[in-house]
């Protein structure tokens, strides 16, 4: 994404919402990009595949907020 930096990539939806809420509470606007269900690298609807891990979430922030976001996330 133009003029944005990635702060986290996760497949855990609970962690995704935890991070999004933390950024919002600290007035940092975040942007999310996810993969699609048609991603050939994942097996959707296949037995023994955890559907909760089917999506990959990439969280981005504006470059000016990147250092603060990383500090808040302790990453």
């Amino acid at each position: 994404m133009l003029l944005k930096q990635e702060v986290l990539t996760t497949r855990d939806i609970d962690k995704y919402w935890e991070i999004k809420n933390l950024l919002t509470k600290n007035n940092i606007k975040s942007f999310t990009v996810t993969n699609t269900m048609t991603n050939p690298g994942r097996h959707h609807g296949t037995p023994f595949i955890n559907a909760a891990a089917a999506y990959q979430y990439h969280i981005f922030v504006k470059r000016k907020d990147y250092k603060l976001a990383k500090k808040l996330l302790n990453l």
Side-chain angles (χ1 to χ4, degrees):
M1 297 184 89
L2 187 62
L3 301 177
K4 309 229 179 347
Q5 280 192 279
E6 185 173 359
V7 290
L8 183 76
T9 298
T10 185
R11 289 191 180 276
D12 182 349
I13 189 69
D14 294 327
K15 183 171 180 109
Y16 166 77
W17 281 113
E18 177 185 341
I19 299 303
K20 289 283 285 184
N21 290 333
L22 179 64
L23 293 172
T24 301
K25 285 180 187 176
N26 288 280
N27 297 318
I28 298 175
K29 187 174 181 181
S30 61
F31 308 88
T32 304
V33 175
T34 62
N35 65 334
T36 64
M37 290 292 283
T38 59
N39 182 352
R42 301 296 300 163
H43 303 281
H44 303 285
T46 305
F48 311 113
I49 298 296
N50 183 359
Y55 286 98
Q56 188 172 23
Y57 304 93
H58 302 272
I59 302 174
F60 293 84
V61 296
K62 292 180 180 178
R63 288 182 191 229
K64 68 180 182 101
D65 296 327
Y66 180 75
K67 286 183 181 178
L68 176 58
K70 289 298 247 186
K71 184 177 176 182
L72 288 170
L73 302 177
N74 293 321
L75 299 174

